[in-house]
Amino acid sequence: MSLWVIGVCLICGALIGFLGGVLGIGGGLIAIPALVLLMDMSQQLAQGTALIMVLPTIVMAVRKYNQKARIDRRVAGAGAIGAVLFTWVGAQLALGISSSTLRISFAVFLFFVAAFYVYRIVKPPRAAVVKNEVPGRSAPELTPGRSAALGVVCGTLGGFFGVGGAVLAVPILTAVFRLPQTSAQALALTMIIPGSTIALVTYSWAGQANWWIGLPLAAGSLLFVPVGVRIAYRLPERKLRACFAAMLFATVALLIFEA
C-alpha cells in the first residue's frame, strides 16, 4: 500500500474520529459507506475493516466521556454481557447473506433510527421531573437486568451490521429511560466494547477485514476523538440530536446511491 493511501486513511480517520466523538457512535457508520464507495469494498469487508478503527475509537471516547461524568459500571457491565453473548450470532448471520442484501438492510435500519430522532427533535418538550432527566414523564429505572436485555438486542445488531449497537441503544436510553444525550452516548459505547471485540475477531477470522486500511484509519481517529467529545458536551441537546439524525440520513443516502 502506498504512502499516499496511508496519508488519506489517516486524514479520513481523523475526520471520522472527530464526528464519532461528537455523536457518540464510534465513527463506523461514516466509515462503512465511505469504504464501500471509495474503496469498492463489499459490505461485509467494509464492516470488518471499520471495526478495526471503531474499537480503539470507542475505548478512547468512553474514557473521555467518563472523565466528564462517571458511567454506571454495573448497568454498563450488564449490558456488555448481554451484547457479548449475541454479537457472534449477528456476525454469523451477516457473513451468510449477500453484500447487497446486507447493505439495503443497513440503510433501512439507519433510516428508521434517523426518523425517530427527527420525531424526538420536533416533539414539544414538557417540564422535566427529575434532575439530569430530559423533558418528559417519569422514567423507569435502568436496572442491570433491563440493560442486559438492551445489550442482547444491540449486540445482535452490532454483530450483524458491524456497527449499529450504540445507534439503537442511544435513542432507547434517551426516550425510554430519559437519560441526557451525552450520558446515553457514554453508556451505549461502554456496553458495546466487548461485543465489538467479538465482532472484529469474527469478521477477521472470515477474511472480511483489511488491516492495512483499518489501522491508519484507527490512528487518525484516535487523535481527534477527544476534540469531538469536548464539543459534544458544549452542544445543546436538540442540536446534538439534529446532528445525529442528519448524519444518519446522509449515510442512508450514500448506501442507497451505492446500491
Side-chain angles (χ1 to χ4, degrees):
M1 186 171 60
S2 68
L3 291 177
W4 182 84
V5 174
I6 293 176
V8 170
C9 289
L10 286 169
I11 294 172
C12 291
L15 176 60
I16 292 170
F18 170 76
L19 293 175
V22 172
L23 302 176
I25 56 172
L29 294 179
I30 306 167
I32 290 173
L35 291 170
V36 169
L37 291 171
L38 301 178
M39 305 295 292
D40 197 29
M41 290 185 178
S42 67
Q43 185 71 17
Q44 285 89 341
L45 182 58
Q47 291 181 181
T49 303
L51 279 168
I52 300 170
M53 178 206 70
V54 165
L55 187 55
T57 301
I58 291 174
V59 173
M60 173 67 78
V62 167
R63 179 174 174 270
K64 293 300 178 181
Y65 275 115
N66 194 53
Q67 288 175 349
K68 297 287 185 179
R70 291 296 177 183
I71 298 169
D72 188 328
R73 295 185 179 181
R74 284 182 64 248
V75 171
I81 292 172
V84 164
L85 297 176
F86 282 82
T87 297
W88 182 85
V89 175
Q92 291 298 318
L93 291 173
L95 293 170
I97 64 176
S98 68
S99 178
S100 59
T101 301
L102 183 58
R103 190 172 303 149
I104 293 172
S105 301
F106 191 41
V108 171
F109 166 67
L110 294 185
F111 175 82
F112 280 106
V113 174
F116 175 79
Y117 262 87
V118 171
Y119 167 75
R120 293 277 290 162
I121 293 169
V122 301
K123 181 182 179 182
R126 291 178 290 177
V129 295
V130 180
K131 184 180 179 181
N132 294 327
E133 185 182 13
V134 294
R137 62 189 178 187
S138 181
E141 181 184 359
L142 181 58
T143 62
R146 290 170 176 169
S147 179
L150 179 60
V152 167
V153 178
C154 294
T156 304
L157 286 175
F160 188 73
F161 293 125
V163 294
V167 176
L168 177 67
V170 170
I172 292 176
L173 291 170
T174 56
V176 178
F177 298 103
R178 305 292 177 181
L179 295 185
Q181 182 73 17
T182 49
S183 297
Q185 291 177 184
L187 183 59
L189 289 176
T190 305
M191 289 168 55
I192 66 172
I193 289 175
S196 296
T197 305
I198 298 295
L200 176 57
V201 171
T202 304
Y203 277 89
S204 298
W205 187 266
Q208 297 293 343
N210 187 326
W211 288 82
W212 292 106
I213 297 294
L215 288 176
L217 285 173
S221 178
L222 289 173
L223 294 175
F224 281 83
V225 167
V227 180
V229 172
R230 285 198 296 270
I231 291 178
Y233 275 95
R234 296 175 183 174
L235 286 175
E237 287 274 318
R238 288 174 64 87
K239 287 186 177 180
L240 194 56
R241 288 178 183 165
C243 291
F244 197 89
M247 186 279 303
L248 292 179
F249 278 125
T251 302
V252 170
L254 287 173
L255 289 170
I256 292 175
F257 174 79
E258 173 61 17

